[in-house]
Short mmCIF file of all heavy atoms in Angstrom, two decimals:
data_model
loop_
_atom_site.label_atom_id
_atom_site.label_comp_id
_atom_site.label_asym_id
_atom_site.label_seq_id
_atom_site.Cartn_x
_atom_site.Cartn_y
_atom_site.Cartn_z
N LYS A 1 -120.80 -53.60 20.31
CA LYS A 1 -120.74 -52.15 20.17
C LYS A 1 -121.32 -51.76 18.82
O LYS A 1 -121.15 -52.47 17.83
CB LYS A 1 -119.30 -51.65 20.29
CG LYS A 1 -118.70 -51.82 21.67
CD LYS A 1 -117.28 -51.27 21.71
CE LYS A 1 -116.67 -51.44 23.09
NZ LYS A 1 -115.28 -50.92 23.16
N TYR A 2 -121.99 -50.62 18.82
CA TYR A 2 -122.57 -50.12 17.57
C TYR A 2 -122.31 -48.62 17.50
O TYR A 2 -122.56 -47.88 18.46
CB TYR A 2 -124.08 -50.39 17.53
CG TYR A 2 -124.78 -49.81 16.32
CD1 TYR A 2 -124.65 -50.40 15.07
CD2 TYR A 2 -125.55 -48.65 16.44
CE1 TYR A 2 -125.29 -49.86 13.96
CE2 TYR A 2 -126.19 -48.10 15.34
CZ TYR A 2 -126.05 -48.71 14.11
OH TYR A 2 -126.67 -48.17 13.00
N GLN A 3 -121.76 -48.18 16.37
CA GLN A 3 -121.47 -46.77 16.17
C GLN A 3 -122.12 -46.29 14.89
O GLN A 3 -121.93 -46.89 13.82
CB GLN A 3 -119.96 -46.53 16.11
CG GLN A 3 -119.57 -45.07 15.94
CD GLN A 3 -118.07 -44.89 15.82
OE1 GLN A 3 -117.41 -45.65 15.12
NE2 GLN A 3 -117.53 -43.90 16.52
N SER A 4 -122.90 -45.21 14.99
CA SER A 4 -123.55 -44.62 13.82
C SER A 4 -123.33 -43.11 13.89
O SER A 4 -123.88 -42.45 14.78
CB SER A 4 -125.04 -44.94 13.80
OG SER A 4 -125.66 -44.32 12.69
N GLY A 5 -122.53 -42.59 12.96
CA GLY A 5 -122.21 -41.17 13.01
C GLY A 5 -121.49 -40.84 14.29
O GLY A 5 -120.45 -41.40 14.60
N ASN A 6 -122.07 -39.92 15.09
CA ASN A 6 -121.46 -39.52 16.36
C ASN A 6 -122.05 -40.27 17.56
O ASN A 6 -121.76 -39.93 18.71
CB ASN A 6 -121.63 -38.00 16.57
CG ASN A 6 -120.88 -37.20 15.53
OD1 ASN A 6 -119.78 -37.57 15.13
ND2 ASN A 6 -121.48 -36.09 15.10
N SER A 7 -122.89 -41.24 17.30
CA SER A 7 -123.55 -41.98 18.37
C SER A 7 -122.87 -43.32 18.60
O SER A 7 -122.53 -44.03 17.64
CB SER A 7 -125.03 -42.20 18.04
OG SER A 7 -125.69 -40.96 17.86
N ASP A 8 -122.68 -43.66 19.88
CA ASP A 8 -122.07 -44.94 20.26
C ASP A 8 -123.01 -45.66 21.23
O ASP A 8 -123.53 -45.06 22.16
CB ASP A 8 -120.72 -44.73 20.94
CG ASP A 8 -119.66 -44.24 19.98
OD1 ASP A 8 -119.53 -44.85 18.91
OD2 ASP A 8 -118.97 -43.26 20.29
N PHE A 9 -123.17 -46.95 21.00
CA PHE A 9 -123.98 -47.78 21.89
C PHE A 9 -123.18 -49.02 22.25
O PHE A 9 -122.47 -49.58 21.43
CB PHE A 9 -125.29 -48.19 21.21
CG PHE A 9 -126.10 -47.04 20.67
CD1 PHE A 9 -125.94 -46.64 19.35
CD2 PHE A 9 -127.00 -46.37 21.47
CE1 PHE A 9 -126.67 -45.58 18.84
CE2 PHE A 9 -127.74 -45.31 20.97
CZ PHE A 9 -127.58 -44.91 19.65
N GLN A 10 -123.32 -49.45 23.51
CA GLN A 10 -122.65 -50.67 23.95
C GLN A 10 -123.64 -51.54 24.69
O GLN A 10 -124.44 -51.05 25.49
CB GLN A 10 -121.46 -50.34 24.85
CG GLN A 10 -120.68 -51.58 25.27
CD GLN A 10 -119.32 -51.22 25.86
OE1 GLN A 10 -118.75 -50.19 25.54
NE2 GLN A 10 -118.81 -52.07 26.72
N ASN A 11 -123.60 -52.82 24.42
CA ASN A 11 -124.55 -53.78 24.97
C ASN A 11 -123.83 -54.96 25.60
O ASN A 11 -122.89 -55.47 25.01
CB ASN A 11 -125.41 -54.34 23.84
CG ASN A 11 -126.86 -54.00 24.02
OD1 ASN A 11 -127.24 -53.39 24.98
ND2 ASN A 11 -127.64 -54.39 23.04
N GLN A 12 -124.29 -55.38 26.78
CA GLN A 12 -123.82 -56.65 27.31
C GLN A 12 -124.61 -57.77 26.63
O GLN A 12 -125.84 -57.69 26.54
CB GLN A 12 -124.02 -56.72 28.82
CG GLN A 12 -123.09 -55.81 29.62
CD GLN A 12 -121.64 -56.18 29.41
OE1 GLN A 12 -120.86 -55.37 28.95
NE2 GLN A 12 -121.28 -57.40 29.73
N LEU A 13 -123.93 -58.79 26.14
CA LEU A 13 -124.60 -59.91 25.48
C LEU A 13 -124.83 -61.03 26.48
O LEU A 13 -124.08 -61.20 27.45
CB LEU A 13 -123.75 -60.42 24.31
CG LEU A 13 -123.46 -59.40 23.20
CD1 LEU A 13 -122.57 -60.02 22.13
CD2 LEU A 13 -124.75 -58.90 22.58
N ASN A 14 -125.86 -61.81 26.24
CA ASN A 14 -126.15 -62.96 27.07
C ASN A 14 -125.17 -64.08 26.73
O ASN A 14 -125.22 -64.66 25.64
CB ASN A 14 -127.60 -63.42 26.84
CG ASN A 14 -128.01 -64.50 27.82
OD1 ASN A 14 -127.19 -65.11 28.49
ND2 ASN A 14 -129.31 -64.74 27.91
N LYS A 15 -124.26 -64.38 27.67
CA LYS A 15 -123.23 -65.40 27.41
C LYS A 15 -123.85 -66.77 27.17
O LYS A 15 -123.22 -67.64 26.56
CB LYS A 15 -122.23 -65.45 28.56
CG LYS A 15 -121.40 -64.18 28.72
CD LYS A 15 -120.28 -64.35 29.70
CE LYS A 15 -120.76 -64.51 31.12
NZ LYS A 15 -121.38 -63.27 31.66
N ASP A 16 -125.10 -66.97 27.66
CA ASP A 16 -125.76 -68.26 27.47
C ASP A 16 -126.10 -68.52 26.01
O ASP A 16 -126.41 -69.64 25.62
CB ASP A 16 -127.03 -68.35 28.32
CG ASP A 16 -126.72 -68.42 29.81
OD1 ASP A 16 -125.60 -68.87 30.14
OD2 ASP A 16 -127.57 -68.03 30.62
N ASN A 17 -126.07 -67.47 25.17
CA ASN A 17 -126.31 -67.64 23.73
C ASN A 17 -125.07 -68.11 22.98
O ASN A 17 -125.14 -68.36 21.77
CB ASN A 17 -126.81 -66.32 23.12
CG ASN A 17 -128.20 -65.95 23.62
OD1 ASN A 17 -128.99 -66.81 23.99
ND2 ASN A 17 -128.48 -64.66 23.65
N TYR A 18 -123.95 -68.19 23.69
CA TYR A 18 -122.69 -68.60 23.07
C TYR A 18 -122.17 -69.86 23.75
O TYR A 18 -122.44 -70.09 24.94
CB TYR A 18 -121.64 -67.49 23.21
CG TYR A 18 -121.99 -66.23 22.47
CD1 TYR A 18 -122.85 -65.29 23.04
CD2 TYR A 18 -121.48 -65.96 21.21
CE1 TYR A 18 -123.19 -64.12 22.37
CE2 TYR A 18 -121.80 -64.81 20.53
CZ TYR A 18 -122.66 -63.89 21.12
OH TYR A 18 -123.00 -62.74 20.44
N ASN A 19 -121.42 -70.66 23.02
CA ASN A 19 -120.76 -71.80 23.63
C ASN A 19 -119.68 -71.29 24.57
O ASN A 19 -118.82 -70.50 24.17
CB ASN A 19 -120.13 -72.69 22.56
CG ASN A 19 -121.16 -73.58 21.88
OD1 ASN A 19 -122.03 -74.15 22.54
ND2 ASN A 19 -121.08 -73.68 20.56
N ARG A 20 -119.73 -71.71 25.81
CA ARG A 20 -118.74 -71.26 26.78
C ARG A 20 -117.35 -71.81 26.46
O ARG A 20 -116.34 -71.15 26.74
CB ARG A 20 -119.15 -71.68 28.20
CG ARG A 20 -120.41 -70.99 28.72
CD ARG A 20 -120.21 -69.50 28.87
NE ARG A 20 -121.36 -68.84 29.45
CZ ARG A 20 -121.47 -68.52 30.73
NH1 ARG A 20 -120.49 -68.81 31.56
NH2 ARG A 20 -122.56 -67.92 31.16
N LEU A 21 -117.30 -73.02 25.90
CA LEU A 21 -116.00 -73.65 25.64
C LEU A 21 -115.58 -73.42 24.19
O LEU A 21 -116.35 -73.67 23.26
CB LEU A 21 -116.08 -75.16 25.93
CG LEU A 21 -114.78 -75.95 25.73
CD1 LEU A 21 -113.72 -75.48 26.72
CD2 LEU A 21 -115.03 -77.45 25.88
N ASP A 22 -114.37 -72.96 24.03
CA ASP A 22 -113.76 -72.85 22.71
C ASP A 22 -112.46 -73.65 22.74
O ASP A 22 -111.81 -73.76 23.78
CB ASP A 22 -113.46 -71.37 22.37
CG ASP A 22 -112.89 -71.20 20.97
OD1 ASP A 22 -113.34 -71.91 20.05
OD2 ASP A 22 -111.97 -70.37 20.79
N TYR A 23 -112.08 -74.20 21.62
CA TYR A 23 -110.83 -74.96 21.55
C TYR A 23 -110.30 -74.90 20.12
O TYR A 23 -111.04 -74.59 19.17
CB TYR A 23 -111.04 -76.42 21.98
CG TYR A 23 -112.12 -77.14 21.23
CD1 TYR A 23 -111.84 -77.81 20.03
CD2 TYR A 23 -113.43 -77.17 21.69
CE1 TYR A 23 -112.83 -78.47 19.32
CE2 TYR A 23 -114.42 -77.83 21.00
CZ TYR A 23 -114.12 -78.48 19.82
OH TYR A 23 -115.11 -79.12 19.12
N GLY A 24 -109.03 -75.19 19.99
CA GLY A 24 -108.42 -75.13 18.67
C GLY A 24 -106.94 -75.41 18.71
O GLY A 24 -106.43 -76.06 19.64
N LEU A 25 -106.23 -74.91 17.72
CA LEU A 25 -104.80 -75.16 17.57
C LEU A 25 -104.05 -73.83 17.53
O LEU A 25 -104.53 -72.85 16.97
CB LEU A 25 -104.52 -75.93 16.28
CG LEU A 25 -105.21 -77.29 16.14
CD1 LEU A 25 -104.97 -77.87 14.74
CD2 LEU A 25 -104.71 -78.25 17.22
N SER A 26 -102.86 -73.83 18.15
CA SER A 26 -102.00 -72.65 18.16
C SER A 26 -100.66 -73.00 17.53
O SER A 26 -100.17 -74.13 17.68
CB SER A 26 -101.75 -72.14 19.59
OG SER A 26 -102.93 -71.64 20.16
N GLY A 27 -100.05 -72.03 16.87
CA GLY A 27 -98.72 -72.24 16.32
C GLY A 27 -98.05 -70.91 16.08
O GLY A 27 -98.72 -69.91 15.79
N GLY A 28 -96.72 -70.88 16.21
CA GLY A 28 -96.04 -69.61 15.99
C GLY A 28 -94.54 -69.74 16.00
O GLY A 28 -93.96 -70.84 15.97
N ILE A 29 -93.89 -68.58 16.06
CA ILE A 29 -92.43 -68.49 16.03
C ILE A 29 -92.02 -67.45 17.06
O ILE A 29 -92.75 -66.48 17.30
CB ILE A 29 -91.94 -68.12 14.61
CG1 ILE A 29 -90.42 -68.18 14.53
CG2 ILE A 29 -92.47 -66.76 14.19
CD1 ILE A 29 -89.91 -68.08 13.11
N GLY A 30 -90.87 -67.65 17.70
CA GLY A 30 -90.44 -66.72 18.73
C GLY A 30 -88.94 -66.51 18.73
O GLY A 30 -88.17 -67.34 18.20
N LEU A 31 -88.52 -65.41 19.31
CA LEU A 31 -87.11 -65.08 19.51
C LEU A 31 -86.83 -65.04 21.00
O LEU A 31 -87.60 -64.44 21.77
CB LEU A 31 -86.77 -63.74 18.86
CG LEU A 31 -86.93 -63.66 17.34
CD1 LEU A 31 -86.70 -62.23 16.86
CD2 LEU A 31 -85.96 -64.61 16.65
N ASP A 32 -85.74 -65.67 21.43
CA ASP A 32 -85.39 -65.77 22.85
C ASP A 32 -84.08 -65.03 23.10
O ASP A 32 -83.05 -65.33 22.48
CB ASP A 32 -85.24 -67.25 23.25
CG ASP A 32 -86.49 -68.05 22.94
OD1 ASP A 32 -87.57 -67.67 23.44
OD2 ASP A 32 -86.40 -69.05 22.22
N PHE A 33 -84.13 -64.06 24.02
CA PHE A 33 -82.94 -63.30 24.40
C PHE A 33 -82.80 -63.38 25.91
O PHE A 33 -83.35 -62.56 26.64
CB PHE A 33 -83.06 -61.84 23.96
CG PHE A 33 -83.37 -61.66 22.49
CD1 PHE A 33 -84.66 -61.41 22.07
CD2 PHE A 33 -82.37 -61.77 21.54
CE1 PHE A 33 -84.95 -61.25 20.72
CE2 PHE A 33 -82.65 -61.62 20.18
CZ PHE A 33 -83.95 -61.36 19.78
N ALA A 34 -82.08 -64.42 26.38
CA ALA A 34 -81.94 -64.64 27.82
C ALA A 34 -83.32 -64.74 28.46
O ALA A 34 -84.09 -65.64 28.13
CB ALA A 34 -81.08 -63.56 28.46
N LYS A 35 -83.69 -63.78 29.32
CA LYS A 35 -84.98 -63.83 30.00
C LYS A 35 -86.10 -63.14 29.22
O LYS A 35 -87.26 -63.16 29.62
CB LYS A 35 -84.87 -63.18 31.39
CG LYS A 35 -84.01 -63.96 32.37
CD LYS A 35 -83.96 -63.25 33.70
CE LYS A 35 -83.19 -64.05 34.73
NZ LYS A 35 -83.88 -65.31 35.09
N PHE A 36 -85.77 -62.51 28.10
CA PHE A 36 -86.74 -61.73 27.33
C PHE A 36 -87.09 -62.47 26.05
O PHE A 36 -86.22 -63.04 25.38
CB PHE A 36 -86.14 -60.36 27.00
CG PHE A 36 -87.07 -59.46 26.25
CD1 PHE A 36 -88.18 -58.91 26.87
CD2 PHE A 36 -86.84 -59.17 24.92
CE1 PHE A 36 -89.05 -58.07 26.18
CE2 PHE A 36 -87.70 -58.34 24.21
CZ PHE A 36 -88.80 -57.80 24.85
#
């Protein structure tokens, strides 16, 4: 997406220019309240 002043443009990108596979590590903290 590109925005200049009051003008907005949106472009579909060629997915073949990007690696389809991404990978990495996740980590976090959570609170558990019964089912929520």
Side-chain angles (χ1 to χ4, degrees):
K1 293 181 180 180
Y2 175 76
Q3 182 183 43
S4 178
N6 296 322
S7 301
D8 290 311
F9 306 93
Q10 184 166 333
N11 242 357
Q12 289 298 120
L13 300 178
N14 188 345
K15 294 190 292 292
D16 291 335
N17 292 333
Y18 296 82
N19 281 317
R20 293 296 184 98
L21 181 64
D22 183 39
Y23 55 87
L25 301 174
S26 293
I29 187 170
L31 297 174
D32 304 304
F33 306 99
K35 292 180 176 293
F36 182 71

